[in-house]
Amino acid sequence: MGYLLIIIGAVFVNNIVLSQFLGICPFLGVSKKVDTALGMSAAVTFVLTLATIITYLLQKYVLEAFNIAYLQTLLFILVIAALVQLVEIILKKVSPSLYQALGVFLPLITTNCCILGVAILVANGTYKLPDGMEANLLTGVVYAIATAIGFALALVLFAGLREQLRFANVPKALEGTPIALLTAGLLAMAFMGFSGVV
């Protein structure tokens, strides 16, 4: 039951984009079409899960063991960048079709603050957990996957709304970025309705 509460909390209640405001750049930049939003969501899910596992292990067995926790941010950024490059190389050799689908989005993930934010939250054990559960690698991975699902949900919903807005009669002053920001605000308000669930 506790893992289900982590998932519901990360996807709906504490959505990384709409509640914690991490990952706004890809949220606004890659959300013009649903298919590109789906590609970015898949890439973020894959990298976020791997980055969370690797950075958690580095935090516990390197940074804390050698008392160099002050290097956390620098090390995590390097790990995420290296991981994205490694994933890109592996995908290029193993599955060229998947590389073509995700290849455009992988470099964008390197600068996605959502990945770094979740890695730091999990490594420090400061993410929201139900009462009675303690932070460990398993709960961290569940939280990371649920966060990636929440990111994907917000991104795909927003992309669908933006696609529909192209057919709407939007006032001239609100065309483009202004209507996108208003739509994002309304979507964030809609997700606030889940705030009492968990």
Side-chain angles (χ1 to χ4, degrees):
M1 184 65 175
Y3 294 108
L4 182 62
L5 292 176
I6 293 173
I7 293 168
I8 291 170
V11 173
F12 297 109
V13 180
N14 299 311
N15 188 286
I16 197 79
V17 177
L18 301 173
S19 176
Q20 299 180 29
F21 306 113
L22 292 174
I24 295 291
C25 293
F27 179 70
L28 293 173
V30 190
S31 61
K32 292 183 180 167
K33 290 191 208 172
V34 172
D35 57 341
T36 56
L38 286 170
M40 182 64 163
S41 299
V44 165
T45 302
F46 184 69
V47 172
L48 181 60
T49 305
L50 282 178
T52 299
I53 294 168
I54 293 169
T55 55
Y56 181 88
L57 295 173
L58 283 173
Q59 176 75 22
K60 296 300 173 202
Y61 299 111
V62 176
L63 295 177
E64 290 177 5
F66 294 106
N67 201 20
I68 53 173
Y70 57 88
L71 293 174
Q72 181 189 53
T73 304
L74 179 66
L75 182 64
F76 284 13
I77 290 172
L78 290 173
V79 165
I80 291 166
L83 184 61
V84 169
Q85 290 301 313
L86 182 67
V87 168
E88 194 170 350
I89 291 168
I90 291 170
L91 281 179
K92 196 173 193 178
K93 291 195 185 250
V94 173
S95 177
S97 61
L98 185 60
Y99 173 75
Q100 290 296 330
L102 297 178
V104 177
F105 306 112
L106 285 172
L108 291 174
I109 295 172
T110 305
T111 59
N112 189 347
C113 60
C114 169
I115 308 286
L116 179 62
V118 171
I120 289 173
L121 287 172
V122 170
N124 293 341
T126 54
Y127 53 101
K128 296 193 183 204
L129 287 171
D131 294 334
M133 291 188 81
E134 62 180 64
N136 56 35
L137 182 58
L138 181 59
T139 58
V141 170
V142 169
Y143 175 75
I145 293 170
T147 298
I149 292 169
F151 177 83
L153 178 66
L155 190 62
V156 170
L157 283 174
F158 188 55
L161 290 171
R162 286 185 77 176
E163 280 188 356
Q164 293 299 317
L165 281 172
R166 281 188 278 170
F167 304 112
N169 188 14
V170 178
K172 192 106 176 124
L174 292 177
E175 288 178 355
T177 305
I179 195 67
L181 291 174
L182 283 171
T183 306
L186 291 172
L187 189 59
M189 286 175 59
F191 270 68
M192 280 178 59
F194 295 108
S195 62
V197 173
V198 178

